[in-house]
Amino acid sequence: GLPDKREPFTAENITSIIKVLDPRVVEPTIEFPPIIGNHRREYYALVMLMLGTGMRLKDAVYVQKNQIKGSVMELVPFKTRWRGGKVVKVPIPEWVKGIIRKHCTPDEEGRLMPGLKAEYDTSRQEVSKSLNVLLKRLGIKTTGKPVEGRARAVAIKGWHSFRHAYDSLMQQVVANPMLVQKALGHASLSQTFDYTHANMGELANAAETLNPLAG
C-alpha cells in the first residue's frame, strides 16, 4: 500500500496534549469533547500508552491486562490479525505501566480501558473525531493544504501521529532500525522508514561537522 502521510507530533504538541488531559488538572483550559470528558482518565492512559509503545489505536483500546508480560506487551498487529498467529512483542516502559495502574480499572475480561472500548464499539468514527476536536482546540493543525481533485484536505495529524512520533524518536536513540521495525510490527524496513521523519535542525548541525575547511 501507499505510505501513511501522517506527520509525527512535535515535542510541543505532545506537551500541550498531555498537559490538558492530565487528570490532576481540575479545570482544563479547553472544553473536552464528550468522549474525553466522560473517560478522561482512560483517555489520558490511552494517549500515553500509544506514545510510549507506538501501538495502533484499535490495539491500544482493546488491550488486556494479561498482554503485559514484564517489560513487554504481546499483541497481534491490526493489519496482520487475519493472516495467522503472528505475535509481536512491544517493549512497554515502566512509566507507561505506572500510568495504566493509576488510571485504568480493568473489567471482568481484563480490558484496561472498558469505557473507551465501549465507545469504540459504538462508533469508531466518534473516537477518532474526539482527538481531532481536541487538537483543533489546542491550536494544532490537523490537515494540510487542499489537493486538486480531492474533496477533503489530506489529514496530517491524528491518532496515527503517535505511532509516527514513536518511530522517529526511537530511531534517534536506537542504533539498529530493525529493532524499531520489530516493535512496530512492520513487514519490512522500508515500511518503518516511511514512518521516520528527519529532524532538519539536527541534520543541519550534523552537516556543519562535514565542513572540510573548518578548523
Side-chain angles (χ1 to χ4, degrees), residues 61-115:
V61 168
Y62 277 72
V63 72
Q64 293 177 285
K65 186 177 181 180
N66 62 9
Q67 288 178 249
I68 301 177
K69 302 181 184 299
S71 61
V72 300
M73 177 178 289
E74 294 185 349
L75 64 144
V76 180
F78 175 67
K79 291 184 179 180
T80 61
R81 92 171 53 249
W82 305 117
R83 300 180 186 175
K86 178 183 177 183
V87 175
V88 171
K89 293 184 178 181
V90 179
I92 179 168
E94 288 298 325
W95 60 268
V96 174
K97 290 194 291 183
I99 288 171
I100 289 173
R101 285 192 296 267
K102 185 174 182 179
H103 298 292
C104 296
T105 304
D107 62 11
E108 293 180 356
E109 296 180 347
R111 299 285 182 189
L112 294 178
M113 303 170 197

Side-chain angles (χ1 to χ4, degrees), residues 42 83 95 163 199:
E42 287 187 5
R83 300 180 186 175
W95 60 268
R163 192 164 166 81
N199 184 315

